[in-house]
Amino acid sequence: MNISKICCIGAGYVGGPTMSVIAQKCPGITVTIVDINEQRIAAWNNADLSKLPVYEPGLAEVVAEARGRNLFFSTDVDTAIAEADMVFISVNTPTKTYGKGKGMAADLKYIELCARQIAAASTSDKIIVEKSTLPVRTAEALQSILHNTGNGVNFHILSNPEFLAEGTAIQDLHHPDRVLIGGENGEAVQALVDVYASWVPRERILTTNLWSSELSKLTANAFLAQRVSSINAISELCERTGANVDEVARAIGTDSRIGPKFLKASVGFGGSCFQKDILNLVYIARTYGLHEVADYWEQVIIMNDHQKRRFADNIVQTMYNTVSGKKITFLGWAFKKDTNDTRESAAIHVADALLSEEANVVVYDPKVTAQQVYADLDYLCSRSPEENRRLVTVVNDPYDAMESAHAVAVLTEWDEFKTYNWHRIKDSMMKPAFIFDGRKLLPDNKLGQIGFQYYAIGE
Ligand code: NAD
Ligand code: UDX
């Protein structure tokens, strides 16, 4: 099967960068990314590349190269589906907020809507690719919907989970550790292998059966998150014993069986994937009656919630058990550096805990808007939107943000925080000047010498 037209449904953090790179690397394939969100599509089409809806280093350059040549962004979903040989589904699969499985299971309503729309709009055979992260055996449901509601055309379903991490999406897409393709139909699998083989070495393209591919995505995220929770658990023990978590991480990470990556202790992992995907894995295990399996993985989330909570508790305790009316400046709001994404960011939960103690929180993040900060807090429904706006201020200049602050809390590991003039900052702050470093980012001995009261995770 020769692929000349690809449609991708969902122009988000995955669909946008992934399809832009396919278009960049396969100039012979026309790639159309569609979304029902008109604002998002308009932003992807913005002539000013700094206004793209997703911030990723290197993304603007890729879009500049391919957009208008063989990369298009559109809200006309039906036409793009009808014309395509291959349709990627890259819509959101958030945790359910209602009904059975509320708070655990993946909400598949957007996936089902896509399937029904594909079935209705298709007048020729197509390969359907699951790009979204899905519960194992979702392809079965997709097949049933496509087959029963379609126009009699053939659909081959493939699973092709995405392993990019935000902040390094373009690098990850250009040089993936592996591409995973699950499917039952050899020709369809080969067609997708051929797309990736334009730039990915063939030995890095793994093919499996559908269910292994679907399950591997949840498993990969569970393993990665588990490493973060494991080192975070040790960080608490370090704080009690005089050990230093970075030193422990280095010591164990040099064992080639353990490896050095994903051992950075933090205020807790965030992002749209880890929590959602582990909750989903736990739910699936429970559904099959595998309670020990479910409890095992649930502990990763329990540990992460504990880490966020104890970071906030430590701030309150250290500041003489009261932060009421005190100005606490957050450096960073994004869930990690080099992204404007704030979904499940630890900052949101730490702020919520401090706001409940009536702190005045001031936020500085180089890429996150004030509108987003308020939306994240309002979504929690812990207090009224007016109250959030009364207690929280978002500032564009870091020095202004820290002036007269009682404490600074580092929530995201943005590189620029390391370059600040900390002498100047200390002089402008209330005394004692506290720093709570949730990323173990700043040089502790230097800040101690300047006169800060410096507290870091795992130290
Ligand atoms: P996102 O919310 O950024 O984007 C999803 C987009 O799909 C939205 O713009 C939404 O408007 C659109 N959409 C929803 N239903 C639609 C429909 N019926 N028709 C057209 N458009 C529709 O989500 P994301 O972060 O890109 O994640 C997408 C999927 O990829 C999820 O399953 C996620 O788990 C998975 N994933 C995400 C990451 C990541 O780093 N964000 C990494 C790997 C996998
Ligand atoms: C993750 C997976 O890495 C990626 O493969 C998958 O496709 C999507 O989910 P992402 O959530 O974008 O990617 O970022 P990641 O780098 O994994 O970081 C997730 C969270 O863990 C961030 O909050 C990060 O700060 C935190 N983290 C990561 C740590 O606290 N310590 C670490 O050592 C690594």
Side-chain angles (χ1 to χ4, degrees):
M1 282 181 226
N2 188 32
I3 303 299
S4 65
K5 284 194 175 157
I6 286 178
C7 160
C8 173
I9 309 180
Y13 281 87
V14 168
T18 311
M19 295 301 130
S20 297
V21 167
I22 290 184
Q24 179 196 30
K25 298 293 186 182
C26 307
I29 299 179
T30 301
V31 179
T32 306
I33 312 179
V34 292
D35 205 296
I36 41 176
N37 182 333
E38 289 178 10
Q39 237 182 330
R40 221 170 201 187
I41 291 298
W44 280 112
N45 282 322
N46 201 314
D48 179 354
L49 290 163
S50 72
K51 300 257 164 55
L52 296 181
V54 170
Y55 171 72
E56 277 290 340
L59 173 64
E61 289 78 359
V62 176
V63 172
E65 186 181 331
R67 197 175 60 185
R69 178 188 73 185
N70 64 325
L71 174 64
F72 302 93
F73 296 90
S74 164
T75 50
D76 187 353
V77 182
D78 282 342
T79 304
I81 292 172
E83 290 178 350
D85 314 301
M86 184 178 266
V87 180
F88 285 78
I89 302 179
S90 187
V91 300
N92 36 331
T93 49
T95 304
K96 264 187 98 174
T97 52
Y98 55 89
K100 193 158 179 268
K102 178 180 175 179
M104 298 289 291
D107 192 342
L108 298 179
K109 70 179 170 202
Y110 307 107
I111 295 288
E112 173 154 354
L113 281 171
C114 283
R116 288 181 184 275
Q117 192 161 7
I118 292 168
S122 296
T123 49
S124 59
D125 295 355
K126 296 189 196 306
I127 298 171
I128 309 302
V129 186
E130 298 174 342
K131 183 51 105 180
S132 297
T133 302
L134 296 169
V136 56
R137 297 205 76 88
T138 302
E140 206 169 28
L142 277 181
Q143 183 65 55
S144 171
I145 295 166
L146 290 168
H147 183 75
N148 286 303
T149 66
N151 303 312
V153 301
N154 291 313
F155 295 103
H156 295 300
I157 299 180
L158 302 177
S159 160
N160 172 222
E162 184 49 59
F163 295 100
L164 68 79
E166 291 180 25
T168 53
I170 299 303
Q171 163 76 13
D172 295 343
L173 289 165
H174 281 164
H175 307 285
D177 284 352
R178 73 338 202 156
V179 165
L180 179 59
I181 300 172
E184 307 307 323
N185 180 289
E187 274 185 59
V189 170
Q190 191 57 45
L192 187 53
V193 168
D194 290 343
V195 171
Y196 283 107
S198 304
W199 79 97
V200 179
R202 185 59 189 83
E203 65 277 11
R204 292 197 176 199
I205 305 177
L206 311 184
T207 54
T208 65
N209 79 30
L210 265 172
W211 321 126
S212 304
S213 175
E214 288 179 338
L215 187 56
S216 294
K217 177 62 198 176
L218 293 181
T219 308
N221 275 349
F223 269 62
L224 289 168
Q226 180 211 44
R227 282 176 70 98
V228 179
S229 274
S230 297
I231 199 68
N232 281 345
I234 297 302
S235 75
E236 190 169 14
L237 198 52
C238 287
E239 289 165 29
R240 298 293 168 88
T241 57
N244 177 315
V245 75
D246 279 350
E247 291 181 355
V248 174
R250 184 155 49 94
I252 65 166
T254 43
D255 185 327
S256 60
R257 295 168 301 176
I258 296 175
K261 295 183 182 168
F262 265 71
L263 287 180
K264 183 70 185 162
S266 67
V267 54
F269 60 73
S272 62
C273 292
F274 281 178
Q275 174 164 306
K276 158 177 88 73
D277 292 348
I278 294 177
L279 289 172
N280 190 205
L281 190 65
V282 170
Y283 182 77
I284 292 168
R286 291 240 158 87
T287 309
Y288 285 102
L290 309 177
H291 297 293
E292 289 77 6
V293 177
D295 291 348
Y296 176 78
W297 287 109
E298 192 163 32
Q299 200 59 35
V300 174
I301 302 284
I302 293 172
M303 186 64 226
N304 197 49
D305 288 341
H306 171 67
Q307 189 76 348
K308 292 181 271 190
R309 202 168 42 242
R310 80 181 187 85
F311 183 75
D313 287 349
N314 183 44
I315 294 179
V316 178
Q317 243 168 44
T318 308
M319 296 176 74
Y320 318 111
N321 286 310
T322 175
V323 291
S324 178
K326 290 182 181 169
K327 173 171 169 178
I328 302 180
T329 301
F330 276 33
L331 290 183
W333 190 263
F335 81 97
K336 63 185 284 196
K337 73 171 179 178
D338 292 337
T339 177
N340 61 345
D341 195 350
T342 65
R343 290 176 288 181
E344 290 302 331
S345 179
I348 302 168
H349 301 279
V350 174
D352 188 46
L354 296 176
L355 294 173
S356 298
E357 294 290 333
E358 297 189 338
N360 290 118
V361 172
V362 175
V363 178
Y364 167 76
D365 186 290
K367 289 289 173 197
V368 178
T369 61
Q371 192 189 12
Q372 187 60 48
V373 171
Y374 292 126
D376 291 337
L377 289 169
D378 292 347
Y379 184 76
L380 297 179
C381 295
S382 302
R383 60 196 68 73
S384 68
E386 295 72 33
E387 193 72 347
N388 281 329
R389 279 149 193 79
R390 186 177 71 78
L391 292 170
V392 180
T393 315
V394 182
V395 174
N396 287 327
D397 178 86
Y399 292 95
D400 288 349
M402 288 183 276
E403 192 175 346
S404 317
H406 289 80
V408 170
V410 180
L411 275 302
T412 312
E413 73 283 22
W414 286 102
D415 290 329
E416 67 168 66
F417 300 162
K418 292 185 279 193
T419 67
Y420 291 169
N421 181 342
W422 287 100
H423 271 287
R424 177 181 156 197
I425 291 164
K426 193 209 142 223
D427 289 345
S428 77
M429 282 177 64
M430 304 292 281
K431 308 296 177 317
F434 293 103
I435 297 186
F436 299 93
D437 190 344
R439 296 290 184 166
K440 234 173 164 318
L441 180 77
L442 305 175
D444 51 352
N445 48 4
K446 192 175 139 207
L447 292 174
Q449 278 163 15
I450 293 175
F452 280 105
Q453 304 258 350
Y454 178 82
Y455 297 87
I457 288 280
E459 204 174 278

